[in-house]
Amino acid sequence: MTTTQSGRMEPTPGPTTALDFNHALLQSRDQARAQWAGCLAQFQAQMLAIQEPSLHEVVLAAAPAFALGFSFSAQKLIQEDQQLLRVTLRHRGGAEEFSEALAPVEGSQAWQALTASLLVGLLGIPVTTLVQANEPELQKTALFDNSSSAGAPPATELPQSADDEWSNPLEAQPIALDRGLEPLTQEEVATLHKFLAAMPPEVRKRFTIEFRHHFQVPKEARTIKDRITQQRHKAFIDVFERELAGVTR
C-alpha cells in the first residue's frame, strides 16, 4: 500500500503488466527493423553490380554491408523429408531475414553457388550477365567495315567525358577483399564446431561471452553456432585457443 499526500491508502502500483511488456517488445522489434532498413539502404546506395556470382564475388560485393553490421549463415535443414539450404542474413541490431531452396550436396560447388544466389537476393545485389552477339559476323562488320555510300558522313571520334569508363579511377583500381570476410568451407566449420564442443563447459561459456561481445551478437540470439561462417571467426577461435593454452600451461 502507498500513502497519498491526503493520507489516503492506495494500492502500490504493481509490476509491469504483460501488455506493457509486449508493447516494449514490439518497440524493440520496430527499432531493430528500422536499423536493418537504414543500413541496408545505405549499403544498396553504394553497392556495385556483379557478373554471374560466385560466393567469393558476392562476399566481396557484400563487404560494405558486413562493415555496417550485417552477417550471414548457411545451414542445411530437413523439412517433410526434404533437405533445404537456408541462408540467413542478420543485422547486429537484432533483425534477420532468411531465404531457402532445395539443398544440393553439402559443401559442393552447387551448394556454394546456391548460397551465393540466396545471399544476393537477401542483399538486393544486382547481377549483370555479359551478352555475347548472336551473329559474330554482323558485329564484325559493324566494327571494322570501312566502306561507305557516296553521301555517308565521315566517321568522327566519340566525345570524351569526365565520366568515361576508361578514365574512372574507381574502375581502374581493383578492390581488395578483406581476408577475414571470406567464407569458411563446410569442412572448416565442422572442425571448429567439434573443437568448441570438446571444450569444458566453463571454458565454452567464457568463449561464448567473448564471441558475442566481439562480434556484437544480439542478446536475442540463442546460439552462436550458426554464426561461425567467416575467416575472421576462425581467427578469433585460433586466438582464443592460443590464449587458453598459454593460461593452462
Side-chain angles (χ1 to χ4, degrees):
M1 302 294 289
T2 301
T3 304
T4 64
Q5 292 181 353
S6 62
R8 186 173 55 189
M9 300 294 290
E10 294 182 352
T12 302
T16 303
T17 64
L19 183 60
D20 292 336
F21 176 78
N22 290 337
H23 180 68
L25 183 59
L26 288 175
Q27 283 187 323
S28 176
R29 290 178 178 175
D30 289 343
Q31 291 175 355
R33 294 300 304 175
Q35 291 181 16
W36 167 288
C39 290
L40 187 60
Q42 184 178 346
F43 163 67
Q44 292 178 342
Q46 59 180 318
M47 67 184 178
L48 301 176
I50 58 176
Q51 299 174 356
E52 294 298 341
S54 66
L55 188 55
H56 177 85
E57 290 176 351
V58 174
V59 170
L60 172 60
F66 299 146
L68 292 170
F70 286 97
S71 62
F72 79 96
S73 65
Q75 61 183 137
K76 183 172 69 174
L77 304 176
I78 299 178
Q79 295 181 359
E80 298 180 355
D81 297 329
Q82 288 186 331
Q83 294 186 351
L84 300 177
L85 167 60
R86 173 180 291 183
V87 173
T88 304
L89 181 67
R90 300 180 177 87
H91 187 258
R92 63 190 171 202
E96 65 178 45
E97 290 184 1
F98 68 86
S99 183
E100 56 189 28
L102 290 177
V105 177
E106 190 170 1
S108 64
Q109 290 185 350
W111 172 280
Q112 300 288 337
L114 183 56
T115 298
S117 178
L118 295 177
L119 185 57
V120 160
L122 289 167
L123 286 169
I125 299 175
V127 179
T128 59
T129 303
L130 290 177
V131 180
Q132 297 180 350
N134 293 327
E135 299 179 6
E137 291 301 323
L138 180 60
Q139 182 184 32
K140 180 179 179 181
T141 301
L143 291 175
F144 300 108
D145 189 3
N146 293 324
S147 62
S148 60
S149 61
T156 58
E157 294 184 359
L158 293 175
Q160 293 185 352
S161 167
D163 295 330
D164 186 270
E165 61 178 330
W166 301 109
S167 62
N168 189 339
L170 294 179
E171 294 289 342
Q173 298 178 0
I175 301 175
L177 175 63
D178 183 353
R179 167 68 178 169
L181 298 179
E182 293 183 0
L184 297 171
T185 65
Q186 294 298 316
E187 292 76 12
E188 288 176 317
V189 172
T191 299
L192 293 174
H193 284 177
K194 290 179 181 179
F195 169 74
L196 296 174
M199 284 182 176
E202 63 277 6
V203 176
R204 188 165 57 249
K205 181 178 180 181
R206 173 187 153 198
F207 167 80
T208 301
I209 293 174
E210 293 185 8
F211 186 95
R212 284 177 174 270
H213 175 74
H214 186 81
F215 294 107
Q216 299 181 339
V217 178
K219 295 180 180 179
E220 294 79 8
R222 294 186 176 182
T223 179
I224 63 171
K225 187 175 181 180
D226 61 351
R227 293 172 184 266
I228 301 174
T229 59
Q230 297 174 324
Q231 292 294 337
R232 58 178 178 157
H233 303 145
K234 180 178 182 296
F236 183 86
I237 295 174
D238 291 341
V239 171
F240 183 87
E241 181 183 12
R242 289 197 298 271
E243 291 179 350
L244 182 65
V247 171
T248 56
R249 277 201 296 261

